[in-house]
Structures are given as C-alpha cells and as structure tokens.
Amino acid sequence: MSSKGKGKAAGVDNTARRTWDKEDFAEKAAKREAEAAADDDEDSVLAIKKRKRLERDPLHQGLIVARSNLQKRDYAVNLGDRLGKTQVIGLNTPLNQQAGYYCSVCDCVLRDSQSYLDHINGKYHNRALGMSMKVEKSSVEQVKNRLQQLKEQQAERKPDDYLPDGIDRRLAEREAEEERQRQAKKDAKKAAKAAAAGGGAGEDEEADEEMMALMGFGGFGGGKKP
C-alpha cells in the first residue's frame, strides 16, 4: 500500500504544541474587564447615588477642612405633621410634596417613619451636614459641671411642688382628681340603676292592685274583718 500523500509538508515544523503568553493575555483581559466595568458603573444606580452624595458632601466640595464630631439635634422631629391628611399626587408633583417624609438636606423622600429616622441618624445624612459619626468624649470635669447644673435646676424649683417622699405634688393632685372623677362616675351609675329598680317595683305594685280590684278582691290578709 502506497504511503504517497500521507507525508508531512516539507519545511513546516509541527512536531511541538503552540505556546501562549498567558501573562500578556491575562493583562489584556483584566484591562478589558476594567473598562467594561467602568462604563457600566457610570450609568448604574449605585454610581449615581455616590455622585450625588459627593456633591452634597461639604468636605468633598472643599467647604470645610474637616468634619466635626456628631452634635445633638437642635430641632424636634415631628413625625405626625401630615398624619390623617389627604393629598393628591401627580406625575409633576415636586419631590418635597410627595407621599412620605422629605429630607431637604439630601433631597430625597422616605416612605415610612422608621426609614426616615434611620436616614437622619445615618452616616450619609450627617456627612452632608459636615459631621462624622464620632461622638466627643466627656471629661470628668464636664460631667461634674453637668451634675452641678442639674442640682441648681432642682434647687430653683419651689419646695411646695414636692411632697416629703419626693413625689411631685402636681402629679399626685392630678391622680387624685382622676380617681375622684372615676368614683363619681361609678356613683352615678349605681344611683341610676337604683332609681330604675325602684321605679320598676312601684309600677309592679300598682299593677297588682289594679288587677285585684278588677277581680273583686280587696286585698290579702291586710284588712280587718267587718
């Protein structure tokens, strides 16, 4: 059997496997993936939120040099301001007039009170206010001054407002007044029940006398014989 046509091509070295530069291809793949991820992140929701946070951050904008420690809120949070109210919301309704709780600092709406409290106590909201989440530690002298201030406020109150056992007199008087009102209601109910029972018994006796008169009886054992 002839082996013509089955021989190897002349001048071609195909005796070894082709080699690849794995490091070069890995570097190209990583670069390609990084570029794709960057393009996706520019339009992603998380990227948009991050850009907005940076725009509101006074430290990032150069308005402040460093964030201050966390400070006490100087206003009262009113969660029931819009409770029980009816509001018409359309497509063109401004964000601060939509349903929920509006934060003017972050320009966002929270749908329930718990989310709103978590937001205003959270990191990003306080960063927008120029504060960090670190709280200043009180020294021993500050604690002593605070205790002395509370003692002075206690001394300024009138001694007549307190009973000997330390109970606030106004609270005791209010509780006593509420107890008197409850007792008065109970007495009124008892009197009404007694009046109703007494009136019903009198009517029954009158009905019995009329029935005896119609039947010809003058009474039962109550009168003297002739």
Side-chain angles (χ1 to χ4, degrees):
M1 185 175 179
S2 176
S3 60
K4 187 177 180 180
K6 297 182 180 179
K8 299 178 181 178
V12 178
D13 185 9
N14 56 359
T15 58
R17 297 181 62 182
R18 184 178 180 182
T19 58
W20 304 88
D21 189 353
K22 295 182 179 180
E23 295 181 356
D24 182 42
F25 280 96
E27 184 179 354
K28 290 180 180 179
K31 183 178 180 180
R32 184 171 58 254
E33 291 176 358
E35 291 176 353
D39 294 338
D40 294 340
D41 288 343
E42 289 181 357
D43 298 331
S44 65
V45 177
L46 295 177
I48 294 173
K49 287 185 177 180
K50 185 176 181 180
R51 286 201 301 270
K52 289 184 177 180
R53 288 169 183 165
L54 294 177
E55 291 174 358
R56 293 191 297 265
D57 193 347
L59 181 63
H60 182 76
Q61 298 297 328
L63 301 177
I64 58 176
V65 179
R67 292 189 179 93
S68 63
N69 291 329
L70 193 62
Q71 302 293 328
K72 180 181 177 182
R73 192 179 295 112
D74 57 356
Y75 63 92
V77 179
N78 187 6
L79 298 177
D81 186 24
R82 303 169 68 178
L83 186 64
K85 295 183 179 179
T86 304
Q87 184 177 358
V88 179
I89 299 174
L91 296 176
N92 298 325
T93 303
L95 193 62
N96 58 350
Q97 297 180 7
Q98 293 184 10
Y101 298 88
Y102 175 71
C103 177
S104 58
V105 177
C106 302
D107 191 27
C108 62
V109 174
L110 291 310
R111 297 304 178 187
D112 56 86
S113 59
Q114 185 62 48
S115 300
Y116 178 71
L117 291 176
D118 292 341
H119 171 76
I120 62 178
N121 293 326
K123 176 175 64 175
Y124 298 111
H125 178 83
N126 287 287
R127 279 186 177 181
L129 295 174
M131 296 185 295
S132 65
M133 299 303 290
K134 296 181 180 179
V135 181
E136 181 182 0
K137 294 183 178 179
S138 300
S139 62
V140 178
E141 191 65 26
Q142 290 176 340
V143 175
K144 289 181 179 179
N145 293 336
R146 182 61 178 173
L147 292 175
Q148 184 63 29
Q149 182 181 359
L150 294 175
K151 287 182 180 179
E152 293 175 356
Q153 292 178 358
Q154 187 75 12
E156 290 177 357
R157 296 182 179 180
K158 297 180 181 179
D160 296 338
D161 292 340
Y162 294 90
L163 298 175
D165 54 356
I167 301 176
D168 194 336
R169 184 181 298 276
R170 291 170 295 181
L171 293 177
E173 291 177 354
R174 183 168 60 187
E175 291 177 357
E177 180 64 24
E178 291 177 355
E179 183 63 28
R180 284 195 296 268
Q181 292 178 359
R182 286 194 294 267
Q183 189 62 35
K185 289 181 179 180
K186 290 181 180 178
D187 295 341
K189 288 182 179 180
K190 288 181 180 179
K193 288 182 179 179
E203 292 177 357
D204 292 341
E205 292 178 357
E206 292 178 359
D208 291 341
E209 292 178 357
E210 292 179 357
M211 182 62 66
M212 287 187 293
L214 290 174
M215 297 177 65
F217 297 102
F220 294 98
K224 295 181 181 180
K225 295 182 180 179

